[in-house]
Amino acid sequence: MEEFQHQLLTVFGALICFYTLVKCIRFLKYIFPHTWNALPQAFFRSLGEWAVVTGAGDGLGKAYSFELAKRGLNIVMISRTLEKLQRVATEVEQATGQKVKIIQADFTKDSVYENIEESLEGLEIGVLVNNVGMLHNPLPCRFLNGPDIDENLINCNIISVTKMTQIILKQMEPRQKGLILNLSSGLGTFPCPLYTMYSASKAFICTFSKALQAEYKRKGIIIQVVAPYGVSTPMTMYQKPSLITKTAEEFVSESLDYVTFGDEIFGCLAHEILVIEFDSL
């Protein structure tokens, strides 16, 4: 009996070691992305001539616009504030030499998509970044104590992702190529009290993106959910950058190296480590 228990514990321990080894090997790709699965220099440009970025006026959207332009794409920037869009568009054009088109749209309204679709006609779109989003309550609070703007949040965080994906995916499917990045949040990977509406809306993006990738992966289209933790943006009131809290530019540059690493990423090495620590608790 003792010998059997010893053998059982040995097998169990070996399985744990094997599982840990596999996780460590898989994690190496985030440490050495350029060695593990180096993207060709022309990868993003090969998907299409244009990238569409929502919420492009500042924060992550602005950073995605700059970084994708640096990687050879023309940019369609969509956001609510026209003056901010015009200013950032000029900066992107001057810094990268790429073409930039702007579309003013308030994603808290459900009436903006006909104009967006018309404005995108004739463009070969290879990349869509569904970045636009809003917090229901900037400071943590109970559900009943939050501001009564549920419809705005649902339109901005959920409807925008489904509508924009529908518009762009229709032209990616016949070409059998394209990349759709849906920005979720680390707070959407678990129920987050005091940010209930925001957490739930970001959980929708995770589920929607993974299911959609299962449908369209064989058609050559990459659909990936990006779920960052701390990033210094206007939404996070420009938290001070640190080992965990990244600047928008740092996060975007690193996350774009991971676009072939699976249907869900956390966007940078520090956040991937953070997730492993959470899972081990």
Side-chain angles (χ1 to χ4, degrees), residues 106-167:
D106 182 354
F107 284 104
T108 63
K109 313 298 181 187
D110 196 27
S111 57
V112 299
Y113 298 100
E114 184 176 351
N115 177 58
I116 291 174
E117 189 163 14
E118 290 176 357
S119 299
L120 295 177
E121 283 184 5
L123 301 182
E124 183 190 60
I125 299 168
V127 178
L128 167 63
V129 182
N130 277 314
N131 164 73
V132 70
M134 61 179 289
L135 274 172
H136 184 242
N137 42 294
L139 297 175
C141 68
R142 294 179 183 273
F143 175 68
L144 291 178
N145 296 334
D148 187 18
I149 54 171
D150 294 348
E151 187 175 346
N152 286 352
L153 182 137
I154 290 169
N155 282 335
C156 189
N157 291 13
I158 296 177
I159 301 300
S160 71
V161 175
T162 57
K163 291 283 193 180
M164 289 302 300
T165 298
Q166 185 180 47
I167 291 169

Side-chain angles (χ1 to χ4, degrees), residues 170-210:
K170 283 190 295 186
Q171 66 147 271
M172 287 181 171
E173 185 180 18
R175 292 187 290 114
Q176 300 281 289
K177 58 182 176 180
L179 169 66
I180 298 176
L181 300 176
N182 292 330
L183 270 292
S184 178
S185 168
L187 298 185
T189 60
F190 58 92
C192 185
L194 306 182
Y195 284 107
T196 301
M197 286 294 297
Y198 179 78
S199 174
S201 70
K202 293 302 183 178
F204 168 86
I205 294 174
C206 289
T207 302
F208 173 76
S209 302
K210 292 176 183 179

Side-chain angles (χ1 to χ4, degrees), residues 14-240:
L15 288 173
I16 292 176
C17 290
F18 178 73
Y19 174 75
T20 303
L21 178 62
V22 169
K23 288 191 71 174
C24 289
I25 292 173
R26 291 181 62 187
F27 188 70
L28 286 175
K29 64 186 180 183
Y30 297 103
I31 302 175
F32 306 109
H34 299 289
T35 303
W36 187 278
N37 190 17
L39 294 175
Q41 189 172 359
F43 171 78
F44 291 96
R45 187 63 181 80
S46 71
L47 299 173
E49 186 180 355
W50 291 83
V52 175
V53 182
T54 67
D58 52 30
L60 285 171
K62 178 180 176 181
Y64 271 110
S65 298
F66 267 99
E67 190 61 33
L68 289 168
K70 289 177 184 176
R71 300 190 187 208
L73 291 167
N74 299 322
I75 310 296
V76 180
M77 301 176 63
I78 309 178
S79 193
R80 179 175 56 183
T81 308
L82 181 59
E83 295 77 11
K84 190 182 293 184
L85 271 176
Q86 291 172 331
R87 183 176 67 252
V88 176
T90 300
E91 292 174 6
V92 173
E93 286 178 330
Q94 292 177 347
T96 66
Q98 297 298 126
K99 298 177 185 176
V100 179
K101 179 181 176 69
I102 62 173
I103 302 174
Q104 184 182 18
D106 182 354
F107 284 104
T108 63
K109 313 298 181 187
D110 196 27
S111 57
V112 299
Y113 298 100
E114 184 176 351
N115 177 58
I116 291 174
E117 189 163 14
E118 290 176 357
S119 299
L120 295 177
E121 283 184 5
L123 301 182
E124 183 190 60
I125 299 168
V127 178
L128 167 63
V129 182
N130 277 314
N131 164 73
V132 70
M134 61 179 289
L135 274 172
H136 184 242
N137 42 294
L139 297 175
C141 68
R142 294 179 183 273
F143 175 68
L144 291 178
N145 296 334
D148 187 18
I149 54 171
D150 294 348
E151 187 175 346
N152 286 352
L153 182 137
I154 290 169
N155 282 335
C156 189
N157 291 13
I158 296 177
I159 301 300
S160 71
V161 175
T162 57
K163 291 283 193 180
M164 289 302 300
T165 298
Q166 185 180 47
I167 291 169
I168 305 302
L169 192 57
K170 283 190 295 186
Q171 66 147 271
M172 287 181 171
E173 185 180 18
R175 292 187 290 114
Q176 300 281 289
K177 58 182 176 180
L179 169 66
I180 298 176
L181 300 176
N182 292 330
L183 270 292
S184 178
S185 168
L187 298 185
T189 60
F190 58 92
C192 185
L194 306 182
Y195 284 107
T196 301
M197 286 294 297
Y198 179 78
S199 174
S201 70
K202 293 302 183 178
F204 168 86
I205 294 174
C206 289
T207 302
F208 173 76
S209 302
K210 292 176 183 179
L212 210 60
Q213 176 66 122
E215 292 180 16
Y216 286 92
K217 185 175 183 178
R218 290 187 179 180
K219 294 183 179 291
I221 299 168
I222 300 171
I223 301 168
Q224 185 181 74
V225 58
V226 184
Y229 280 86
V231 182
S232 180
T233 67
M235 184 181 288
T236 60
M237 295 180 282
Y238 293 108
Q239 292 179 1
K240 184 178 180 181

